[in-house]
Amino acid sequence: MHDLDEFTVTDAVIAQMQDTPSDRLREIMDAAVRHLHAFARDVKLTPEEWLLGIGFMTEIGKTCTASRQETILLSDVLGLSAMVNALHAKTSLEKATDASLLGPFYRETAPHLKLGDSIAALPDAPELVFYGQIRNAAGAGVAHAMVQVWQTDAHGFYDMQLHGQEKMDHRAVFTTDAEGRFHFRTVRPLGYYIPMDGPVGRLVLAQKRHGCRPAHIHFLVGAEGYRELVTSVYFADDPYIDSDTVFGVSKSLIVSPAPDPHSPCPELEAIHYDFTLSLAGADGDSRVGADPSRLVGAQIDHVG
Ligand SMILES: [Fe+2]
């Protein structure tokens, strides 16, 4: 028995967790406790601040529903989601297009459209054409790949923010042709605020952060035998392109619409972007993000 102080308490907790049957759960909790204790020592955490933190986490949990995931939002604004994406990319068998966040507005049941269709039901802004090719790491087109796309309308709103589950718009699923090519028409999306009416929004405001995401189009690309790609492209001239609140922007994902005589719709401004997939590894698909309804009631004993 030792006297407990701010150092020996760390060792005591680690010792008590040593019989955890799952090696992975033991490894994660060991590191989590060490870093958490080091953080408390670093900032000399006071009882009032500890209680404030407990209240904050309690409110985070209460804000989560089947259609809103405040905990993922916290992970996003702290850069943890981008961190996990970066770590996941390092396990890729081949160099693929950079990943970005799935975000909270993905829906699994978007309508299948034909190549060249518009994803906007009633375009109320000038149309763009987006075209490209899904390629493997050697540069060859991937035939019949699935390309899921979703974005805000021209005013910065996702369909579910305007219509709940009632109506889908500005989202679709396409299948590439025999050469791996795809194209669709859309309108320019607008950047938007993360939800600012919950505990995460209040934290962001207390930090004098703007809370905006630059305009982007989400993509989820999959094909048999390849690792699923979750990414987005971002508009270069957005005022928040260098300060995304959730750290989704990589330089390689920035695009600018421009006249393009080689596009399938040369009368429209075009974005040309080709996506590269890595062969699938043994670890299967994993996404940094999920349909919020799947997370209600998730259990810790799945780790390991
Ligand atoms: Fe988004």
Side-chain angles (χ1 to χ4, degrees):
M1 172 62 69
H2 301 282
D3 285 333
L4 279 188
D5 62 23
E6 73 272 34
F7 294 101
T8 59
V9 66
T10 307
D11 299 330
V13 177
I14 303 283
Q16 203 172 102
M17 301 190 305
Q18 283 314 294
D19 293 335
T20 305
S22 160
D23 290 342
R24 184 60 175 157
L25 181 59
R26 187 172 65 249
E27 180 185 14
I28 287 173
M29 290 310 299
D30 190 289
V33 166
R34 287 182 197 283
H35 287 278
L36 190 62
H37 286 206
F39 150 75
R41 283 192 297 266
D42 266 8
V43 301
K44 298 184 175 56
L45 196 68
T46 67
E48 293 76 18
E49 290 161 346
W50 173 85
L51 197 56
L52 203 65
I54 296 290
F56 179 72
M57 292 308 296
T58 304
E59 202 183 343
I60 294 274
K62 283 183 177 172
T63 308
C64 290
T65 67
S67 57
R68 177 166 178 173
Q69 238 305 324
E70 196 78 357
T71 323
I72 288 184
L73 188 61
L74 179 62
S75 166
D76 290 350
V77 304
L78 297 181
L80 181 61
S81 309
M83 165 71 81
V84 176
N85 253 343
L87 293 170
H88 184 56
K90 294 214 163 214
T91 67
S92 183
L93 291 182
E94 299 171 302
K95 175 78 183 108
T97 297
D98 287 332
S100 191
L101 309 181
L102 184 78
F105 298 110
Y106 171 65
R107 296 165 85 173
E108 293 174 350
T109 51
H112 288 254
L113 298 182
K114 295 190 311 298
L115 293 178
D117 281 351
S118 174
I119 67 170
L122 294 168
D124 58 353
E127 281 194 300
L128 303 171
V129 60
F130 195 115
Y131 76 104
Q133 188 181 32
I134 308 302
R135 296 175 170 170
N136 65 20
V142 178
H144 314 306
M146 182 200 64
V147 180
Q148 298 190 58
V149 52
W150 65 107
Q151 64 168 71
T152 71
D153 63 16
H155 312 285
F157 296 102
Y158 284 94
D159 51 4
M160 56 217 288
Q161 294 175 296
L162 297 173
H163 313 293
Q165 303 292 320
E166 295 297 306
K167 182 180 159 194
M168 294 214 193
D169 199 1
H170 296 86
R171 67 178 71 235
V173 183
F174 296 96
T175 304
T176 60
D177 68 13
E179 276 85 47
R181 298 184 190 284
F182 69 94
H183 73 287
F184 61 89
R185 289 175 293 122
T186 185
V187 293
R188 188 189 161 114
L190 204 64
Y192 55 85
Y193 285 94
I194 63 163
M196 298 300 275
D197 59 344
V200 173
R202 284 204 299 283
L203 173 67
V204 163
L205 288 174
Q207 295 169 321
K208 295 278 184 223
R209 295 163 69 179
H210 52 63
C212 289
R213 297 214 66 203
H216 56 275
I217 303 175
H218 292 272
F219 287 87
L220 193 157
V221 183
E224 190 69 32
Y226 293 91
R227 176 186 271 203
E228 186 178 80
L229 172 67
V230 178
T231 194
S232 304
V233 299
Y234 294 87
F235 286 73
D237 57 357
D238 190 287
Y240 301 108
I241 191 72
D242 291 322
S243 59
D244 184 4
T245 302
V246 299
F247 310 98
V249 184
S250 282
K251 207 161 38 169
S252 65
L253 300 176
I254 296 176
V255 298
S256 295
D260 180 351
H262 306 294
S263 101
C265 306
E267 72 281 10
L268 301 177
E269 285 211 318
I271 299 171
H272 178 193
Y273 199 93
D274 300 321
F275 297 90
T276 302
L277 302 180
S278 163
L279 285 174
D283 56 345
D285 289 331
S286 44
R287 300 172 184 171
V288 182
D291 182 328
S293 65
R294 292 186 181 231
L295 295 172
V296 178
Q299 298 293 310
I300 188 69
D301 60 6
H302 290 174
V303 174

